[in-house]
Amino acid sequence: MFASDMNPARDAGRVTTADAVLFPIQFIWPHGGRSVFLSGSFNRWTELVPMSQVEGCPNVFQAVYAVPLGCHEYKFFVDGEWRHDERQPHKTGEYGIVNTFDAIPIPAEVPLVHPRSEILNNMEVDNSRMHRVSAVTLNQAMPRILEEDVTASRHRIAVYLQGHTAYELLPESGKVVALDVALPVKQAFHILSEQGIPLAPLWDFRKGKFVGVITASDFILILRELVNNRSNLTEEELETHSIAAWKEGKAYLKGQVDGHGRPIPKELIYASPSENLKDVALKILQSGVAIVPIIHLEDGSFPQLLHLASLAGILKCICRYVKHCPASLPILQLPIYAIPLGTWVPRIGEFSSRPFAMLRLTASLSSALDMLVEAHVSSIPIVDDNDSLVDVYCRSDIMALAKGRAYTHNLNEMTVHQALQLGLDSNPPYGTRSQRCQMCLRTDTLLKVMEQLANPGVRRLVMVEAGSNRVEGIISLTDIFRFLLG
């Protein structure tokens, strides 16, 4: 089966951009056997990938394997015999009849708002009982979910959120950093990096009000413009170019101009301390922002910036509430694989509107930035040669380049590993791998996942396979709130 001209030692040293971007796929062998392995063109037919038996389904074996972009062939090695799955696309190739599939280039965690009807359509409903059929657990025994339990739990959470205000999110002590729009862009990003924060509200002294937010995404866009030479903004101008000028230039870049060619000013999305927590959460979800400033407005005085509200802060309040009434919220004890939330690895042969990609440590930083911007995602899983999760590259990680003149490096030549190491070297509180790379299992309960996501700085959990740490999906704060709020 293994071709004689295939030399693993010869190929091992080759690092290409295409091979650094990976698309995890769940392979299924549903025809039984004692020992089942997988091999294919994606590993040059030089490796037998062991497949594990699905619990409760003795004839079904599965394995998650990350493949590069392109068209692929594969076969199964079952009890010492090469076989193909007749239910999946197949053709006659160099190794007899082989199964085939295409890996498509759509990055991870693509934000997608599911209306209630679509969520229900993605669940099997039988006598008012709902079952989620996920890519990972299609053949696994599913816990039975009462539709009335879901409705009642959502109602209780909504009532709780409506009865509490944004004022309750304010910590007993702390600080909120705001920047003047007249500051040079370089200085602004240096401040964010020094303070260890990914964003800050913007104050316009001339207008006497808060006018926006500067984030890590702005820095990413600037770096991409410098790399791609698509703007007149040079590296030297970062020293004098103001935040206000950048925001205006950003509007032109995105085509956000009126009929006269003038940039359309964007109104700041904020909340008052008296707004209820449900409305604050909906503002964050509907606007697609990470935070909403809590601003106290009083006639005749300057606005007071009190806090930056986030979904994590609101989720922490929900977790405190449910500790006192767990029995009244039965859905919280369900395993996450039984609930319609998150982005899961697609099954082989299955179309997914939310597939996602991963990167090797050897991928270029520019490819990571392209994925973050073009797919509107906040993070990308980073895996080793065994496809095991080793880290996560987030939008906020780009701030490590703001120190000194690190952003002058060639981003096409800098690897993701070097970029992550730069953050560790320049900012010791940057976080250990265990702090940055938060994981969960598909068997974890919804409540356990919520408690993890309620921790400061955690915006998503990477679902991994027990033992191997191979990526099976991603659950974000946004996913949790879309489900809880229905």
Side-chain angles (χ1 to χ4, degrees):
M1 181 68 185
F2 300 108
S4 60
D5 63 340
M6 294 179 181
N7 188 336
R10 179 195 65 199
D11 294 333
R14 295 181 179 176
V15 178
T16 66
T17 302
D19 287 339
V21 182
L22 303 169
F23 303 87
I25 300 291
Q26 186 197 28
F27 293 85
I28 295 290
W29 174 257
H31 306 297
R34 294 184 301 276
S35 64
V36 182
F37 298 85
L38 167 75
S39 190
S41 57
F42 41 79
N43 61 17
R44 301 182 179 89
W45 301 100
T46 59
E47 177 188 2
L48 287 176
V49 180
M51 304 186 72
S52 57
Q53 197 174 57
V54 174
E55 184 178 352
C57 302
N59 290 326
V60 181
F61 292 77
Q62 69 93 27
V64 175
Y65 197 88
V67 305
L69 173 68
C71 303
H72 298 285
E73 300 176 356
Y74 65 100
K75 293 188 80 166
F76 301 93
F77 193 61
V78 183
D79 297 338
E81 178 184 354
W82 286 104
R83 298 176 61 181
H84 70 282
D85 186 353
E86 295 181 354
R87 301 179 184 179
Q88 299 296 335
H90 53 274
K91 70 175 186 179
T92 301
E94 182 181 356
Y95 301 116
I97 302 178
V98 295
N99 290 115
T100 62
F101 73 98
D102 297 334
I104 56 176
I106 302 178
E109 208 184 322
V110 178
L112 190 65
V113 178
H114 291 285
R116 177 175 173 80
S117 59
E118 184 177 338
I119 289 178
L120 292 177
N121 287 337
N122 288 335
M123 307 172 75
E124 293 182 349
V125 180
D126 179 23
N127 296 326
S128 299
R129 296 180 183 270
M130 301 189 298
H131 309 273
R132 181 206 182 210
V133 181
S134 77
V136 175
T137 57
L138 187 64
N139 299 294
Q140 191 169 351
M142 302 294 293
R144 310 205 73 174
I145 310 171
L146 287 172
E147 183 177 2
E148 51 264 35
D149 284 346
V150 176
T151 302
S153 297
R154 285 173 170 168
H155 175 71
R156 289 189 181 95
I157 290 173
V159 169
Y160 168 78
L161 293 176
Q162 288 169 334
H164 293 74
T165 66
Y167 186 81
E168 298 175 52
L169 297 175
L170 274 60
E172 293 183 3
S173 63
K175 66 177 181 180
V176 182
V177 177
L179 303 177
D180 193 296
V181 292
L183 273 176
V185 169
K186 173 69 188 323
Q187 187 177 347
F189 291 128
H190 184 78
I191 292 172
L192 294 181
S193 180
E194 286 290 336
Q195 295 295 321
I197 54 177
L199 50 83
L202 298 174
W203 173 259
D204 190 322
F205 185 78
R206 182 175 58 84
K207 296 180 180 179
K209 66 178 184 178
F210 293 98
V211 294
V213 177
I214 189 166
T215 71
S217 297
D218 289 298
F219 193 33
I220 292 174
L221 289 174
I222 288 175
L223 290 178
R224 292 182 82 225
E225 287 302 314
L226 291 174
V227 170
N228 298 331
N229 296 318
R230 292 188 307 198
S231 74
N232 295 323
L233 179 64
T234 64
E235 177 248 316
E236 290 77 13
E237 286 179 307
L238 289 178
E239 306 290 342
T240 57
H241 206 67
S242 70
I243 298 174
W246 157 246
K247 288 293 186 180
E248 184 174 312
K250 179 181 174 182
Y252 284 115
L253 285 173
K254 293 193 169 185
Q256 298 168 344
V257 295
D258 59 21
H260 302 286
R262 293 172 299 205
I264 302 173
K266 295 182 67 175
E267 291 295 323
L268 174 66
I269 300 170
Y270 68 94
S272 72
S274 60
E275 284 191 54
N276 71 64
L277 293 181
K278 182 179 179 181
D279 288 344
V280 176
L282 289 175
K283 279 187 176 181
I284 295 174
L285 290 175
Q286 292 167 358
S287 59
V289 296
I291 58 96
V292 167
I294 305 299
I295 300 176
H296 177 63
L297 298 174
E298 191 172 323
D299 293 340
S301 63
F302 283 115
Q304 297 180 45
L305 177 62
L306 303 178
H307 186 59
L308 301 180
S310 66
L311 293 179
I314 300 174
L315 187 60
K316 200 175 190 84
C317 293
I318 295 175
C319 289
R320 283 200 300 264
Y321 161 66
V322 301
K323 278 186 177 180
H324 301 294
C325 54
S328 64
L329 298 162
I331 64 169
L332 299 185
Q333 300 307 320
L334 290 171
I336 54 175
Y337 72 77
I339 304 171
L341 57 81
T343 304
W344 293 78
V345 170
R347 294 179 80 219
I348 188 70
E350 174 186 68
F351 171 78
S352 173
S353 59
R354 303 182 70 190
F356 61 89
M358 307 184 301
L359 291 176
R360 297 245 192 252
L361 286 166
T362 53
S364 69
L365 180 58
S366 61
S367 66
L369 300 187
D370 288 345
M371 290 171 64
L372 288 171
V373 172
E374 293 171 7
H376 304 286
V377 301
S378 64
S379 64
I380 304 168
I382 309 299
V383 297
D384 61 17
D385 291 340
N386 295 318
D387 298 336
S388 296
L389 184 71
V390 294
D391 214 322
V392 174
Y393 194 83
C394 311
R395 283 176 181 257
S396 56
D397 291 333
I398 197 65
M399 300 312 302
L401 272 67
K403 287 196 172 184
R405 299 171 64 84
Y407 56 84
T408 61
H409 296 179
N410 187 329
L411 302 187
N412 289 315
E413 296 178 0
M414 178 181 285
T415 65
V416 170
H417 174 70
Q418 291 170 331
L420 289 169
Q421 191 61 45
L422 185 65
L424 289 169
D425 295 341
S426 62
N427 189 9
Y430 187 66
T432 63
R433 176 186 172 276
S434 61
Q435 292 172 324
R436 291 171 32 79
C437 195
Q438 296 288 328
M439 297 179 284
C440 67
L441 302 176
R442 61 182 178 220
T443 53
D444 288 344
T445 65
L446 175 58
L447 178 58
K448 182 178 179 180
V449 167
M450 288 168 55
E451 290 174 339
Q452 282 185 263
L453 285 170
N455 291 323
V458 180
R459 292 195 60 190
R460 87 286 304 159
L461 299 178
V462 182
M463 292 176 282
V464 297
E465 182 182 57
S468 70
N469 278 359
R470 285 184 172 173
V471 176
E472 294 190 334
I474 293 179
I475 293 182
S476 67
L477 279 164
T478 301
D479 294 326
I480 294 291
F481 274 86
R482 284 177 182 155
F483 175 71
L484 293 181
L485 298 180

